[in-house]
Amino acid sequence: MQSAHQFRASVNTLWLKQYNIREVQCMAGHMHIFSTESYLQNDMEGLKEEVQQFHPLG
């Protein structure tokens, strides 16, 4: 069973795929945007897709 922190991280990462960062900040109840930004690092698959899409040699 996942811990509460793992579950929260999964939900926030999923929200970041669907909503902009300010909306996720509000939904997650984060006071500071850098708290929300930390979940952007969890989305490595999304990052790979963006690199492939926007890389000038890709």
Side-chain angles (χ1 to χ4, degrees):
M1 182 173 190
Q2 290 185 335
S3 71
H5 178 73
Q6 289 171 321
F7 180 74
R8 206 168 32 246
S10 296
V11 169
N12 288 334
T13 302
L14 177 65
W15 282 345
L16 283 167
K17 291 180 181 180
Q18 298 175 0
Y19 305 101
N20 72 52
I21 194 165
R22 289 294 183 180
E23 290 174 314
V24 175
Q25 178 188 9
C26 182
M27 292 188 302
H30 295 153
M31 183 180 289
H32 303 285
I33 193 71
F34 58 81
S35 299
T36 310
E37 288 173 337
S38 67
Y39 293 101
L40 289 171
Q41 297 174 4
N42 291 338
D43 186 18
M44 290 304 292
E45 188 60 37
L47 180 60
K48 287 178 187 177
E49 290 173 9
E50 286 184 27
V51 168
Q52 289 175 350
Q53 181 180 2
F54 295 111
H55 193 277
L57 299 177

